[in-house]
Amino acid sequence: MNFRKVSSIFRDSCQLSIYDEDRSVTIGLDDGGVLRVVIHTFEQVDKFNCNIRIISARKATNQKKEQYQTRIL
């Protein structure tokens, strides 16, 4: 899995994100159409820019796929 492919989930207009104090979990489709789960941090740099640090990424499980599909239907 490469960084560019994983980071492309942040361009998915239907992505789902759950925010915590320390990190976030985002489910989204990458540029290749693979549903991925990414654990990351998010830091707003200024009004137009942010830094995203990817902690881990994996293919979505069937349960996560169902959550994603239910959200967009």
Side-chain angles (χ1 to χ4, degrees), residues 3 16 56 69:
F3 177 79
L16 298 173
S56 70
Q69 291 169 345

Side-chain angles (χ1 to χ4, degrees), residues 12-49:
D12 178 3
S13 61
C14 297
Q15 66 178 272
L16 298 173
S17 292
I18 300 169
Y19 301 99
D20 190 331
E21 286 183 26
D22 297 331
R23 59 185 73 177
S24 300
V25 178
T26 298
I27 304 170
L29 290 172
D30 69 16
D31 284 344
V34 176
L35 192 63
R36 301 208 182 267
V37 177
V38 177
I39 312 299
H40 59 92
T41 61
F42 177 87
E43 177 188 2
Q44 193 73 38
V45 176
D46 58 34
K47 186 176 179 179
F48 301 105
N49 298 295

